[in-house]
Amino acid sequence: MISAQKLLMFATALALTGCGPGSSDGADDSAASPAAKGAVTAAQAAKILDTYETVNNKANARQDADLLGTVEGGQLYEQSKADYLLFETESKEEQAAYRKPFQYIDRKYWIPAGKDWFVVTAKASGSKSEALLVFGKEYDDWKLMSAVYSEVPLPAIATDDAGLATAVDAGTRVGTLAPNQISAAYEDLYTTGGKKAGTAISQTTEAAKDAIETYTKRDSGKSAAYATKVFVTTPTAFDTVYALRLENGGALAALPTAHASQFVLKASYRENYDITPTEVESVFNGRDRDTVVNTYQGMALATLPKTGKPSVLADEYRIVDSQ
């Protein structure tokens, strides 16, 4: 779910009608059909976003996951349910901020031809970060499926003469990788420090450097004397990757990603000691144990250039389980 701190946008009209351009490297052929149209008009997209905003505000105010589920799905909903579950572990200030109603500003609509999803870019309430929001169909209902905020300016998305965006097939390589290969490469930064699959992506972005630092410091601190921590890639709750063609010929992808941390007592301590879970971990499992496995479901934004390595611009993770 999108917290009151994070979202705020208002509608700007953009007439999006007509057909898509000819296909190019990595583009979905259906998006290039002369007869193809977007799943919605800009006016319809604005109403869908308005509805999400209204319902989300109500759901946040009373921590109503069922209500939120009427307008939210995919990886984002997995994170939101965890946010609600862990709400009482947050400070009073954080709880108040989460409940505070929000609005959206600076809306821009990116509607790909021939697809049943669309994208909105906007800026968040009280923040200069730009968000990329993806709406898709779930049981015939429009729901917000992904939302990632980037401190790095998002690249220019391409549109045709009619204003329609061009979808990029998730399994088609753009430059060195396909959009659906980015998650495995990015998670390698957590699991090996980027020594294996992670060599295929840039390791110089702030998101990449943070992931590598997490790996590097996994066994630092007082706990390192009696326990070790490793990160492992874990399946994502949802596997849909959304990608759009950029003006420079590359692609911008919103993708699911996930990993787990395994915090394990060293053998010499297991007979006489246990790990006491943190307050957050105890919400899922309050039992003292010799191993604590935390699962994190996430979303990321990545650019795939025509030449050179892809870059992960931003990510969003939430702990969704601890056993």
Side-chain angles (χ1 to χ4, degrees), residues 11-303:
T12 60
L14 176 63
L16 301 178
T17 58
C19 57
S23 63
S24 57
D25 177 39
D28 192 313
D29 288 343
S30 65
S33 169
K37 295 182 179 180
V40 294
T41 64
Q44 290 169 333
K47 289 182 179 180
I48 292 167
L49 189 50
D50 287 341
T51 298
Y52 175 78
E53 176 187 293
T54 299
V55 174
N56 192 15
N57 282 334
K58 291 179 180 178
N60 288 354
R62 57 186 191 234
Q63 302 296 287
D64 190 336
D66 290 337
L67 176 61
L68 185 63
T70 64
V71 294
E72 195 170 284
Q75 288 289 97
L76 181 61
Y77 188 46
E78 291 299 304
Q79 293 187 344
S80 296
K81 289 186 292 184
D83 284 345
Y84 285 0
L85 186 63
L86 298 171
F87 190 72
E88 295 303 322
T89 69
E90 301 289 346
S91 68
K92 296 301 181 183
E93 292 78 12
E94 290 170 325
Q95 290 179 10
Y98 203 90
R99 285 190 170 114
K100 185 178 179 180
F102 64 84
Q103 292 178 315
Y104 298 98
I105 62 167
D106 298 339
R107 301 180 183 183
K108 295 179 182 178
Y109 303 99
W110 311 96
I111 303 173
K115 293 298 178 181
D116 61 353
W117 52 273
F118 66 91
V119 170
V120 182
T121 55
K123 290 185 179 178
S125 173
S127 172
K128 296 180 180 180
S129 298
E130 191 169 14
L132 190 138
L133 314 175
V134 182
F135 281 88
K137 282 291 189 73
E138 188 174 78
Y139 304 112
D140 294 326
D141 293 325
W142 284 106
K143 296 184 179 183
L144 185 58
M145 309 296 282
S146 177
V148 184
Y149 293 79
S150 175
E151 294 182 5
V152 179
L154 297 180
I157 298 171
T159 56
D160 63 15
D161 291 341
L164 290 177
T166 299
V168 174
D169 182 77
T172 300
R173 192 170 65 181
V174 180
T176 59
L177 291 178
N180 63 10
Q181 294 177 310
I182 299 297
S183 179
Y186 188 57
E187 290 300 341
D188 183 64
L189 304 185
Y190 287 97
T191 59
T192 76
K195 299 177 182 67
K196 296 182 179 179
T199 60
I201 62 173
S202 170
Q203 297 186 7
T204 63
T205 66
E206 289 302 315
K209 288 190 286 187
D210 287 346
I212 294 172
E213 183 179 18
T214 298
Y215 168 82
T216 303
K217 294 184 177 181
R218 67 197 184 283
D219 285 330
S220 62
K222 296 179 180 180
S223 62
Y226 59 85
T228 60
K229 180 180 286 187
V230 296
F231 291 90
V232 296
T233 300
T234 193
T236 57
F238 293 84
D239 59 7
T240 303
V241 176
Y242 304 93
L244 293 175
R245 177 69 61 208
L246 295 174
E247 287 185 356
N248 63 14
L252 176 65
L255 53 101
T257 192
H259 61 252
S261 66
Q262 299 176 347
F263 190 49
V264 185
L265 280 178
K266 294 180 179 179
S268 58
Y269 289 91
R270 291 178 192 170
E271 185 174 348
N272 298 311
Y273 297 92
D274 281 313
I275 299 170
T276 299
T278 65
E279 182 182 9
V280 168
E281 292 166 346
S282 294
V283 172
F284 302 99
N285 184 349
R287 177 178 56 85
D288 288 356
R289 48 203 189 267
D290 61 18
T291 301
V292 175
V293 179
N294 295 335
T295 301
Y296 299 86
Q297 290 290 333
M299 301 170 290
L301 288 181
T303 55

